[in-house]
Amino acid sequence: LRGRGGAAFPTGIKWKTEIDLPGTNSPVVWGDKIFLTAADETAKAVYCYDLNTGAQVWKKAVEGLPGAPAEPPQVMEDTGHAAPSMVVHGDRVFAIFADADLVCLDFEGKQLWGFNAGLPENHYGHSSSLIAMDNLLFVQLDDSKEPKLLAFDVATGDKVWTTERA
């Protein structure tokens, strides 16, 4: 097979699958699972696939979170509504979207907590990937007026601290 410009497609692909929403984030592999997010102007979801077969294990719609904005942010076409890569930490899966809806799921797709972390005012929506360490989940909120780094308790979603950025 040949791709655009006549380039050969990679070999050794075990499986591939299509998802029903767009997303530009990087998939996260944890054990025998692959996690990723996808979203558009009207829907957001977290997906879990079997690493060995490519079968969808579950899909969790992300909707109705406290503080979620009524309208989606304007995003650049290259960024989209699901640019931030997720993070898996211990037995939890964390995802954030362009509108800063932040969600924590278990490995079966059950939502443990979720809320809006604060819609950033910028020209691309929220696009920074998540980081987790010890008992903290870090969110870099690139707001044009009040940029900050937030730390949340991974178990409860409670805000632990905020640091303003220049």
Side-chain angles (χ1 to χ4, degrees):
L1 294 175
R2 297 274 176 207
R4 196 178 325 166
F9 284 119
T11 59
I13 296 173
K14 190 171 183 178
W15 56 264
K16 66 180 183 174
T17 189
E18 291 189 28
I19 57 174
D20 56 350
L21 291 168
T24 57
N25 56 86
S26 295
V28 175
V29 177
W30 192 265
D32 63 351
K33 293 181 172 48
I34 298 177
F35 301 95
L36 61 105
T37 63
D40 62 17
E41 298 83 10
T42 61
K44 299 180 287 274
V46 178
Y47 299 79
C48 176
Y49 288 90
D50 182 280
L51 176 66
N52 298 305
T53 67
Q56 184 174 313
V57 178
W58 51 261
K59 173 186 173 184
K60 172 65 175 171
V62 176
E63 54 194 8
L65 299 181
E71 297 293 322
Q74 295 295 316
V75 298
M76 295 175 15
E77 186 177 335
D78 290 347
T79 307
H81 292 272
S85 294
M86 303 173 55
V87 68
V88 177
H89 188 62
D91 60 353
R92 293 171 185 247
V93 177
F94 302 92
I96 193 165
F97 297 86
D99 61 1
D101 274 359
L102 177 64
V103 66
C104 172
L105 309 171
D106 66 16
F107 282 7
E108 284 73 49
K110 177 184 173 195
Q111 184 176 314
L112 302 175
W113 54 261
F115 53 86
N116 186 273
L119 179 64
E121 187 175 314
N122 59 39
H123 63 282
Y124 48 84
H126 182 81
S127 63
S128 296
S129 297
L130 299 171
I131 297 174
M133 187 174 95
D134 298 329
N135 67 330
L136 297 177
L137 175 69
F138 300 98
V139 176
Q140 176 182 313
L141 217 60
D142 285 334
D143 186 270
S144 61
K145 295 181 179 162
E146 296 179 23
K148 56 189 133 199
L149 179 64
L150 305 164
F152 297 96
D153 184 292
V154 296
T156 64
D158 294 336
K159 190 185 303 180
V160 177
W161 52 259
T162 301
T163 298
E164 303 297 319
R165 298 176 47 226

